[in-house]
Amino acid sequence: MSSTARDTDTAAPPRVEEIDEGIYAYVQPPGTWWVNNTGFLVGRRGVTSVDACSTERRTRAYLEAIGKVTPRPVRTLINTHHHGDHTFGNHLFDGATVVGHEGVREGIRAWGMPASAPFWTEVDWGHVELEPPFLTYTEGVTLWVDDLRCEVRHVGTAAHTTNDSIVWIPERRVLFAGDLLFHGGTPFLLQGSIAGAIEVLETVIAPLGARTIVAGHGPVAGPGLIDDVLGYLRFVQETARRGHAAGLTPLETARETDLGEYAALSDGERIVGNLHRAYAEIEGAAPGAPIDAVAALTDMVTYNGGRPLTCTA
């Protein structure tokens, strides 16, 4: 048995949490690389899912978990963004309408098939077929689960990625935030924007007044999580300003930085990728502008002692 398999087998099992009547979070501990959260809403005629999972095994387990709650089929699948931990399992939702921002469709096609090496420990992806959304929007769409209004909104600027959307259920004050929020893990904005994420959390997410938040990774949370993530993002910005002014590279800055209160977050090596993005913004790059992701990931592996980043998907 590989070390990756052992890690997966000893992790806490995924769990279904009914966070409001007919609304469920599917939480996958430990919420680290490629181990995401999803969720679903049960209506009279079918189920709406928010995101898929990264591997065939994990997505099938998620579908089985839905089946234990209701025999009704998944009729609609919403992708909050294009990253593979939220989309590689799309093809297993047989017969469902796959919905996402037009950038999600483009992003899935550009990303391509899953791969572990050389940046992550080996993952058994299983059988994966790329299945981009085939119902897309530019700003948002309203989805109804019986009489319950679900607002699917693009957040308006690059944040975690360039194509992030939220699923907001105003009547219940429930928010599915995708990877705009991480709970217990280090936020990661290599393909998005540090400044953009701060703007989105301050002007889009916080004003909603959500009572219950399903982050893209980690336990279900309350509104205090927003300030926690904002604190980390401002820490990244300030760290980048100091390092850039001193003429240090992002890797050098990361190595000299005491993570302080953020040292307890999982996947601390993401500070390096986040600094790559923050440096680009200091140098005038627009939010979400392409940067050298291979160089950033290589620096993250170096920061990790030359070892691939641990993934238990």
Side-chain angles (χ1 to χ4, degrees), residues 253-301:
T253 298
R255 283 174 158 168
E256 292 193 1
T257 296
D258 179 358
L259 293 176
E261 64 183 293
Y262 304 111
L265 299 178
S266 65
D267 308 306
E269 67 275 356
R270 292 176 181 168
I271 183 65
V272 184
N274 292 334
L275 288 171
H276 271 265
R277 172 56 64 181
Y279 269 49
E281 293 179 0
I282 289 170
E283 294 167 3
I291 63 174
D292 191 340
V294 171
L297 287 165
T298 300
D299 278 354
M300 289 164 65
V301 171

Coordinates of all heavy atoms in Angstrom, one line a residue, residues 253-301:
T253 N 11.4 35.7 0.5 CA 10.5 36.4 1.4 C 9.8 35.4 2.3 O 9.7 35.5 3.5 CB 9.5 37.3 0.7 OG1 10.2 38.3 0.0 CG2 8.5 37.9 1.6
A254 N 9.3 34.3 1.7 CA 8.5 33.3 2.4 C 9.4 32.6 3.4 O 9.0 32.4 4.6 CB 8.0 32.2 1.4
R255 N 10.7 32.4 3.1 CA 11.6 31.7 4.0 C 11.9 32.6 5.2 O 12.2 32.1 6.3 CB 12.9 31.3 3.2 CG 12.7 30.1 2.4 CD 13.9 29.8 1.6 NE 14.0 28.3 1.1 CZ 14.8 27.9 0.2 NH1 15.6 28.7 -0.4 NH2 14.8 26.6 -0.1
E256 N 11.9 33.9 5.0 CA 12.2 34.8 6.1 C 11.0 35.2 6.9 O 11.1 36.0 7.9 CB 12.9 36.1 5.5 CG 14.3 35.8 4.9 CD 15.1 37.1 4.7 OE1 14.5 38.2 5.0 OE2 16.2 37.0 4.2
T257 N 9.8 34.7 6.5 CA 8.6 35.2 7.1 C 8.1 34.3 8.2 O 8.1 33.0 8.1 CB 7.5 35.3 6.1 OG1 7.8 36.3 5.1 CG2 6.1 35.7 6.7
D258 N 7.8 34.8 9.4 CA 7.2 34.1 10.5 C 5.7 34.2 10.2 O 5.1 35.2 10.2 CB 7.5 34.8 11.8 CG 6.9 34.1 13.0 OD1 6.1 33.1 12.8 OD2 7.1 34.5 14.1
L259 N 5.1 33.0 10.0 CA 3.6 33.0 9.7 C 2.8 33.3 10.9 O 1.6 33.6 10.8 CB 3.3 31.6 9.2 CG 3.8 31.2 7.8 CD1 3.5 29.8 7.5 CD2 3.4 32.1 6.7
G260 N 3.4 33.3 12.1 CA 2.6 33.7 13.3 C 1.4 33.0 13.5 O 1.3 31.7 13.5
E261 N 0.3 33.7 13.6 CA -1.0 33.1 13.9 C -1.5 32.2 12.7 O -2.4 31.4 12.9 CB -2.1 34.1 14.2 CG -2.4 35.1 13.0 CD -3.4 36.2 13.3 OE1 -4.6 35.8 13.6 OE2 -3.0 37.3 13.4
Y262 N -0.9 32.4 11.5 CA -1.3 31.6 10.4 C -0.5 30.3 10.2 O -0.8 29.5 9.3 CB -1.3 32.5 9.1 CG -2.1 33.7 9.3 CD1 -1.5 35.0 9.4 CD2 -3.5 33.6 9.4 CE1 -2.2 36.1 9.6 CE2 -4.2 34.8 9.6 CZ -3.6 36.0 9.7 OH -4.4 37.1 9.9
A263 N 0.4 30.1 11.1 CA 1.2 28.9 11.0 C 0.4 27.6 11.3 O 0.8 26.5 10.8 CB 2.4 28.9 12.0
A264 N -0.7 27.8 12.0 CA -1.5 26.6 12.3 C -2.4 26.2 11.1 O -3.0 25.1 11.1 CB -2.4 26.9 13.5
L265 N -2.5 27.0 10.1 CA -3.3 26.6 8.9 C -2.6 25.5 8.1 O -1.4 25.5 8.0 CB -3.5 27.9 8.0 CG -4.3 29.1 8.6 CD1 -4.3 30.2 7.6 CD2 -5.6 28.6 9.1
S266 N -3.3 24.6 7.6 CA -2.7 23.6 6.7 C -2.2 24.2 5.4 O -2.6 25.2 5.0 CB -3.8 22.5 6.4 OG -4.8 23.0 5.6
D267 N -1.3 23.4 4.8 CA -0.7 23.8 3.5 C 0.0 25.1 3.5 O -0.3 26.0 2.7 CB -1.8 23.7 2.4 CG -2.5 22.4 2.4 OD1 -1.9 21.3 2.3 OD2 -3.8 22.4 2.5
G268 N 0.8 25.3 4.5 CA 1.5 26.6 4.7 C 2.3 27.0 3.5 O 2.6 28.2 3.4
E269 N 2.8 26.1 2.7 CA 3.6 26.4 1.5 C 2.9 27.3 0.5 O 3.5 27.9 -0.3 CB 4.1 25.1 0.8 CG 3.0 24.3 0.2 CD 2.2 23.3 1.1 OE1 2.6 23.2 2.3 OE2 1.3 22.7 0.6
R270 N 1.6 27.4 0.7 CA 0.8 28.3 -0.2 C 1.2 29.8 -0.1 O 1.0 30.6 -1.0 CB -0.7 28.1 0.0 CG -1.2 26.8 -0.4 CD -2.7 26.6 -0.1 NE -3.2 25.3 -0.5 CZ -4.3 24.8 -0.1 NH1 -5.1 25.5 0.7 NH2 -4.7 23.6 -0.5
I271 N 1.9 30.1 1.0 CA 2.4 31.5 1.2 C 3.3 31.8 0.0 O 3.2 33.0 -0.5 CB 3.1 31.7 2.5 CG1 3.6 33.1 2.7 CG2 4.3 30.7 2.6 CD1 2.5 34.1 2.8
V272 N 4.0 30.9 -0.6 CA 4.9 31.2 -1.7 C 4.1 31.5 -2.9 O 4.4 32.5 -3.6 CB 5.9 30.0 -1.9 CG1 6.9 30.4 -3.0 CG2 6.6 29.6 -0.7
G273 N 3.2 30.7 -3.3 CA 2.3 31.0 -4.4 C 1.6 32.3 -4.3 O 1.5 33.1 -5.2
N274 N 1.1 32.5 -3.1 CA 0.4 33.8 -2.8 C 1.3 35.0 -3.0 O 0.9 36.1 -3.5 CB -0.3 33.8 -1.4 CG -1.4 32.8 -1.4 OD1 -2.1 32.4 -2.3 ND2 -1.6 32.3 -0.1
L275 N 2.5 34.9 -2.6 CA 3.5 36.0 -2.7 C 3.8 36.2 -4.2 O 4.0 37.3 -4.6 CB 4.7 35.7 -1.9 CG 4.6 35.8 -0.4 CD1 5.8 35.3 0.3 CD2 4.3 37.3 0.0
H276 N 3.9 35.1 -5.0 CA 4.1 35.3 -6.4 C 3.0 36.2 -7.0 O 3.2 37.1 -7.8 CB 4.1 33.9 -7.1 CG 5.5 33.3 -7.2 ND1 6.3 33.4 -8.3 CD2 6.2 32.5 -6.3 CE1 7.4 32.8 -8.1 NE2 7.4 32.2 -6.9
R277 N 1.8 35.9 -6.6 CA 0.6 36.7 -7.1 C 0.7 38.1 -6.6 O 0.5 39.1 -7.3 CB -0.7 36.0 -6.7 CG -2.0 36.8 -7.0 CD -2.1 37.2 -8.4 NE -2.2 36.1 -9.3 CZ -2.3 36.2 -10.7 NH1 -2.3 37.4 -11.2 NH2 -2.4 35.1 -11.4
A278 N 1.0 38.2 -5.3 CA 1.1 39.6 -4.7 C 2.2 40.4 -5.3 O 2.0 41.6 -5.6 CB 1.3 39.5 -3.2
Y279 N 3.3 39.8 -5.6 CA 4.4 40.5 -6.3 C 4.0 41.0 -7.7 O 4.3 42.1 -8.1 CB 5.6 39.6 -6.4 CG 6.6 39.6 -5.3 CD1 6.2 39.5 -4.0 CD2 8.0 39.7 -5.6 CE1 7.2 39.5 -3.0 CE2 8.9 39.7 -4.6 CZ 8.5 39.6 -3.3 OH 9.5 39.6 -2.3
A280 N 3.3 40.1 -8.4 CA 2.8 40.5 -9.7 C 1.9 41.7 -9.6 O 2.0 42.7 -10.5 CB 2.1 39.4 -10.4
E281 N 1.0 41.8 -8.6 CA 0.1 42.9 -8.5 C 0.9 44.2 -8.1 O 0.6 45.3 -8.6 CB -0.9 42.6 -7.4 CG -1.9 41.5 -7.9 CD -2.9 41.1 -6.9 OE1 -3.0 41.7 -5.8 OE2 -3.7 40.2 -7.2
I282 N 1.9 44.1 -7.2 CA 2.8 45.2 -6.9 C 3.4 45.8 -8.2 O 3.6 47.0 -8.3 CB 3.9 44.8 -5.9 CG1 3.2 44.6 -4.5 CG2 5.0 45.9 -5.8 CD1 4.1 43.9 -3.5
E283 N 3.8 44.9 -9.1 CA 4.5 45.3 -10.3 C 3.5 45.7 -11.4 O 3.9 45.9 -12.6 CB 5.4 44.1 -10.8 CG 6.5 43.9 -9.8 CD 7.3 42.6 -10.0 OE1 6.9 41.9 -11.0 OE2 8.2 42.3 -9.2
G284 N 2.2 45.8 -11.1 CA 1.2 46.3 -12.0 C 0.4 45.3 -12.8 O -0.4 45.7 -13.6
A285 N 0.5 44.0 -12.5 CA -0.4 43.1 -13.2 C -1.8 43.3 -12.8 O -2.1 43.5 -11.6 CB 0.1 41.7 -12.8
A286 N -2.7 43.1 -13.7 CA -4.1 43.2 -13.5 C -4.6 42.0 -12.7 O -4.0 40.9 -12.7 CB -4.9 43.3 -14.8
P287 N -5.7 42.1 -11.9 CA -6.2 41.0 -11.2 C -6.5 39.8 -12.1 O -7.1 39.9 -13.2 CB -7.5 41.5 -10.6 CG -7.3 43.0 -10.5 CD -6.4 43.3 -11.6
G288 N -5.9 38.6 -11.8 CA -6.1 37.4 -12.6 C -5.3 37.3 -13.8 O -5.4 36.3 -14.5
A289 N -4.4 38.3 -14.0 CA -3.5 38.2 -15.2 C -2.6 36.9 -15.1 O -2.2 36.6 -14.0 CB -2.6 39.4 -15.3
P290 N -2.4 36.2 -16.2 CA -1.5 35.0 -16.1 C -0.1 35.3 -15.6 O 0.5 36.4 -15.9 CB -1.5 34.6 -17.6 CG -2.7 35.2 -18.2 CD -2.9 36.5 -17.6
I291 N 0.3 34.5 -14.7 CA 1.7 34.6 -14.2 C 2.3 33.2 -14.3 O 1.6 32.2 -14.7 CB 1.8 35.1 -12.8 CG1 1.1 34.1 -11.8 CG2 1.2 36.5 -12.6 CD1 1.3 34.5 -10.3
D292 N 3.6 33.0 -14.0 CA 4.3 31.8 -14.2 C 3.9 30.8 -13.1 O 4.6 30.8 -12.1 CB 5.8 32.0 -14.3 CG 6.5 30.8 -14.8 OD1 6.0 29.6 -14.7 OD2 7.7 30.9 -15.2
A293 N 2.9 30.0 -13.3 CA 2.4 29.1 -12.3 C 3.4 28.0 -12.0 O 3.6 27.5 -10.9 CB 1.1 28.5 -12.6
V294 N 4.1 27.5 -13.0 CA 5.1 26.5 -12.9 C 6.2 26.9 -12.0 O 6.6 26.2 -11.1 CB 5.6 26.0 -14.2 CG1 6.8 25.0 -14.1 CG2 4.5 25.3 -15.0
A295 N 6.7 28.2 -12.2 CA 7.7 28.7 -11.3 C 7.3 28.8 -9.9 O 8.0 28.5 -8.9 CB 8.2 30.1 -11.8
A296 N 6.0 29.3 -9.7 CA 5.5 29.4 -8.3 C 5.3 28.1 -7.6 O 5.7 27.9 -6.5 CB 4.1 30.1 -8.4
L297 N 4.8 27.1 -8.3 CA 4.6 25.7 -7.8 C 6.0 25.1 -7.5 O 6.2 24.4 -6.5 CB 3.8 24.9 -8.7 CG 2.3 25.2 -8.7 CD1 1.6 24.5 -9.9 CD2 1.6 24.8 -7.4
T298 N 7.0 25.3 -8.4 CA 8.3 24.8 -8.1 C 8.9 25.4 -6.9 O 9.5 24.7 -6.0 CB 9.2 25.1 -9.3 OG1 8.7 24.5 -10.5 CG2 10.6 24.6 -9.1
D299 N 8.7 26.7 -6.7 CA 9.2 27.4 -5.4 C 8.4 26.8 -4.2 O 9.0 26.7 -3.1 CB 8.9 28.9 -5.5 CG 10.0 29.6 -6.3 OD1 11.0 29.0 -6.7 OD2 9.9 30.8 -6.5
M300 N 7.2 26.5 -4.4 CA 6.4 25.9 -3.2 C 7.0 24.5 -2.8 O 7.1 24.2 -1.6 CB 4.9 25.8 -3.6 CG 4.2 27.1 -3.7 SD 2.7 27.1 -4.5 CE 1.7 26.1 -3.4
V301 N 7.4 23.7 -3.8 CA 8.0 22.4 -3.5 C 9.4 22.7 -2.8 O 9.7 22.0 -1.9 CB 8.1 21.6 -4.8 CG1 9.0 20.4 -4.6 CG2 6.8 21.2 -5.3

